[in-house]
Short mmCIF file of all heavy atoms in Angstrom, two decimals:
data_model
loop_
_atom_site.label_atom_id
_atom_site.label_comp_id
_atom_site.label_asym_id
_atom_site.label_seq_id
_atom_site.Cartn_x
_atom_site.Cartn_y
_atom_site.Cartn_z
N ALA H 53 10.68 -9.33 -2.97
CA ALA H 53 11.67 -8.29 -2.65
C ALA H 53 12.16 -8.44 -1.21
O ALA H 53 13.36 -8.30 -0.93
CB ALA H 53 11.07 -6.91 -2.87
N ARG H 68 24.00 -15.03 10.01
CA ARG H 68 23.62 -14.60 11.37
C ARG H 68 22.24 -13.92 11.36
O ARG H 68 21.44 -14.10 12.27
CB ARG H 68 24.69 -13.66 11.93
CG ARG H 68 24.46 -13.22 13.37
CD ARG H 68 25.65 -12.43 13.91
NE ARG H 68 26.01 -11.30 13.07
CZ ARG H 68 25.39 -10.12 13.08
NH1 ARG H 68 24.40 -9.90 13.91
NH2 ARG H 68 25.78 -9.15 12.28
N ALA H 75 3.51 -14.98 4.22
CA ALA H 75 2.84 -14.30 3.11
C ALA H 75 1.36 -14.65 3.08
O ALA H 75 0.86 -15.42 3.91
CB ALA H 75 3.52 -14.70 1.80
N GLN H 83 -3.85 -3.77 8.71
CA GLN H 83 -4.12 -2.90 9.85
C GLN H 83 -3.83 -3.63 11.17
O GLN H 83 -3.18 -3.08 12.07
CB GLN H 83 -5.58 -2.49 9.80
CG GLN H 83 -5.83 -1.16 10.42
CD GLN H 83 -7.30 -0.83 10.37
OE1 GLN H 83 -8.12 -1.65 9.93
NE2 GLN H 83 -7.65 0.34 10.82
N LEU H 104 -1.35 3.13 7.23
CA LEU H 104 -0.53 4.01 8.09
C LEU H 104 -1.12 5.41 8.18
O LEU H 104 -0.69 6.23 9.00
CB LEU H 104 0.90 4.09 7.55
CG LEU H 104 1.73 2.81 7.73
CD1 LEU H 104 2.92 2.79 6.78
CD2 LEU H 104 2.21 2.68 9.18
N LEU H 110 1.54 12.41 7.67
CA LEU H 110 2.41 12.65 6.50
C LEU H 110 2.32 11.51 5.48
O LEU H 110 2.63 11.70 4.30
CB LEU H 110 3.87 12.81 6.92
CG LEU H 110 4.30 14.15 7.52
CD1 LEU H 110 5.83 14.20 7.65
CD2 LEU H 110 3.82 15.35 6.71
N LEU H 116 -2.33 11.27 -2.13
CA LEU H 116 -3.28 12.31 -2.55
C LEU H 116 -3.65 12.08 -4.02
O LEU H 116 -2.78 11.80 -4.84
CB LEU H 116 -2.64 13.71 -2.40
CG LEU H 116 -2.46 14.19 -0.97
CD1 LEU H 116 -1.67 15.50 -0.95
CD2 LEU H 116 -3.81 14.37 -0.26
N ILE H 134 12.55 13.62 0.23
CA ILE H 134 11.11 13.69 0.55
C ILE H 134 10.67 12.33 1.10
O ILE H 134 10.00 12.23 2.14
CB ILE H 134 10.27 14.05 -0.69
CG1 ILE H 134 10.67 15.42 -1.22
CG2 ILE H 134 8.77 13.98 -0.39
CD1 ILE H 134 10.03 15.81 -2.53
N PRO H 144 8.29 8.04 15.68
CA PRO H 144 7.59 8.32 16.95
C PRO H 144 6.40 7.40 17.19
O PRO H 144 5.87 7.33 18.30
CB PRO H 144 7.13 9.78 16.79
CG PRO H 144 7.92 10.34 15.66
CD PRO H 144 8.31 9.20 14.79
N THR H 163 -18.86 -4.15 -10.68
CA THR H 163 -19.69 -5.20 -11.28
C THR H 163 -20.77 -4.62 -12.20
O THR H 163 -21.48 -5.37 -12.85
CB THR H 163 -20.44 -5.98 -10.17
OG1 THR H 163 -21.20 -5.05 -9.39
CG2 THR H 163 -19.46 -6.71 -9.24
N MET H 189 -11.97 10.29 -0.64
CA MET H 189 -11.86 10.32 -2.11
C MET H 189 -13.11 9.76 -2.77
O MET H 189 -13.61 10.28 -3.76
CB MET H 189 -10.65 9.48 -2.55
CG MET H 189 -9.32 10.16 -2.35
SD MET H 189 -8.04 9.31 -3.28
CE MET H 189 -7.23 8.36 -2.03
N SER H 201 -10.86 -5.18 4.74
CA SER H 201 -9.55 -5.75 4.39
C SER H 201 -9.63 -6.35 3.00
O SER H 201 -10.69 -6.82 2.56
CB SER H 201 -9.18 -6.80 5.44
OG SER H 201 -8.94 -8.03 4.83
N ALA H 233 -15.96 -8.67 -10.84
CA ALA H 233 -16.14 -7.28 -11.27
C ALA H 233 -15.35 -7.07 -12.55
O ALA H 233 -14.14 -6.90 -12.51
CB ALA H 233 -15.65 -6.33 -10.18
N GLN H 240 -6.47 5.91 -12.82
CA GLN H 240 -5.11 6.17 -12.28
C GLN H 240 -5.14 7.28 -11.23
O GLN H 240 -4.29 8.16 -11.21
CB GLN H 240 -4.17 6.54 -13.42
CG GLN H 240 -4.07 5.45 -14.48
CD GLN H 240 -3.08 5.76 -15.57
OE1 GLN H 240 -3.16 6.83 -16.19
NE2 GLN H 240 -2.16 4.87 -15.82
N VAL H 242 -4.67 7.24 -7.97
CA VAL H 242 -3.64 7.23 -6.92
C VAL H 242 -2.42 6.44 -7.40
O VAL H 242 -2.57 5.36 -7.96
CB VAL H 242 -4.18 6.58 -5.62
CG1 VAL H 242 -3.05 6.29 -4.64
CG2 VAL H 242 -5.21 7.49 -4.92
N ARG H 254 12.22 -3.84 18.07
CA ARG H 254 13.25 -4.76 17.57
C ARG H 254 14.49 -3.98 17.14
O ARG H 254 15.62 -4.37 17.41
CB ARG H 254 12.67 -5.54 16.38
CG ARG H 254 13.58 -6.61 15.84
CD ARG H 254 13.67 -7.77 16.84
NE ARG H 254 14.14 -8.99 16.23
CZ ARG H 254 15.36 -9.47 16.42
NH1 ARG H 254 16.22 -8.82 17.16
NH2 ARG H 254 15.71 -10.60 15.85
N GLN H 283 7.46 -6.19 -14.70
CA GLN H 283 7.11 -7.43 -15.40
C GLN H 283 5.73 -7.93 -14.96
O GLN H 283 4.91 -8.35 -15.76
CB GLN H 283 8.20 -8.49 -15.13
CG GLN H 283 8.03 -9.77 -15.90
CD GLN H 283 8.04 -9.54 -17.42
OE1 GLN H 283 8.94 -8.89 -17.93
NE2 GLN H 283 7.02 -10.05 -18.12
#
Side-chain angles (χ1 to χ4, degrees):
R68 184 173 54 81
Q83 208 181 4
L104 289 161
L110 282 190
L116 288 173
I134 298 173
T163 57
M189 283 195 258
S201 123
Q240 301 183 306
V242 167
R254 185 71 161 106
Q283 186 59 50

